[in-house]
Amino acid sequence: GKSAGRGVVSVFASAMAKHAVLQLELERELRQALLLNEFRLVYQPQIRLADNRLIGYEALIRWNQAQRGEVSPVDFIPFAEQTGIIASIGDWALDEAIRQLESWAQAGLAVVPIAVNVSALQLANLGFADSVIARIKRLPVFLQCLIQLELTESTLMQAPSIQSIRQLTQADIAVHMDDFGTGYSNLAMLSRMSLSKLKFDRSLIQNIPDNHAHQQVCRALLDLAHALQLEVVAEGVETQAEALWLAEQGVQYAQGYWFSRPLEKELAARYMDGVTE
Ligand code: C2E
Ligand code: CA
Ligand code: CA
Ligand code: CA
């Protein structure tokens, strides 16, 4: 009856209120995290399949929250995007990667490129490309090409984002397409974009030696990459069988737990060879 209906509504309303409170709390904590320096980057090796050598790192954000402990980016990045805090977090991540690269170079390490993840929301901001270019161009020239950007496919949809990508690539900043093969692909736009690499999504790579359908898709995407003269990184490679299959197909690069988990910066430094002692 009516009262039961109201009961449901009020339970729902109070759940909503709780949800809103939790969201406000998380938003406050994310702002705090920037002030308290609770974020850090970890670095996952990208490997050349032909000789298993390190060719670069992907920088991945980590958040160690005072009460909650480690919070996964999967849990806070989408929220940071909803609230707009992603702009500040993204700025922090880029600056941190730049600082890290400079510090590794100063320590005499044979530095490799660091790819930084960029959210679609950052890219849609007018002024984003200029700000990135300015920060990268402050680096010594030999380091400028070692900061690269990873974008997800969905960002290709909006005009301001396309303009940002053009500005970045015209300034010789390498832009990689992340999570490729998960939908959204606008092939016409892709061909006009001057990207450097396509990163094939983990969902495509998983179990590929046993998945005939995925093999077909992967081969078709590789043909596409070759036609567009784009290099390919296979993501989420977890087994030797996957790595071997990909190498046989002519995939140049791979990233995944089979090679290495994301590394804390100290370990990442040790992984780079050519220390000039
Ligand atoms: P992504 O950019 O696709 O990053 C790859 C994710 O897959 C990372 O998760 C990585 O740790 C994980 N991974 C790597 N190899 C394997 C594997 O072999 N198996 C499996 N199961 N997973 C693997 P992570 O670090 O939790 O990041 C999740 C997502 O959060 C990222 O996906 C990216 O979309 C986002 N993210 C991380 N850092 C940043 C950042 O600084 N800025 C922005 N905007 N997004 C970020
Ligand atoms: Ca990425
Ligand atoms: Ca990815
Ligand atoms: Ca992803």
Side-chain angles (χ1 to χ4, degrees), residues 241-260:
E242 289 162 5
L244 287 173
W245 189 89
L246 292 161
E248 267 168 29
Q249 304 303 312
V251 172
Q252 296 104 318
Y253 310 114
Q255 183 181 339
Y257 296 166
W258 170 252
F259 299 101
S260 172

Side-chain angles (χ1 to χ4, degrees), residues 41-42 44 58-62 72-74 77 81 86 90 93 116-119 122 150 152 178-179 201-202 206 235-238 255-258 260 262:
L41 294 179
V42 292
Q44 189 174 32
E58 175 177 6
L60 294 158
I61 198 164
R62 293 292 178 266
S72 164
V74 178
I77 293 287
E81 288 175 331
I86 190 65
V116 179
N117 287 284
V118 169
S119 152
Q122 292 175 270
E150 287 193 7
T152 46
D178 206 353
D179 301 347
D201 194 67
R202 175 165 69 90
Q206 219 166 23
E235 285 196 282
V237 177
E238 291 184 347
Q255 183 181 339
Y257 296 166
W258 170 252
S260 172

Side-chain angles (χ1 to χ4, degrees), residues 45-56 247 251-255 259:
Q46 301 181 328
I47 297 298
R48 190 195 293 116
L49 282 167
D51 55 10
N52 278 7
R53 293 196 43 118
L54 179 73
I55 58 122
V251 172
Q252 296 104 318
Y253 310 114
Q255 183 181 339
F259 299 101

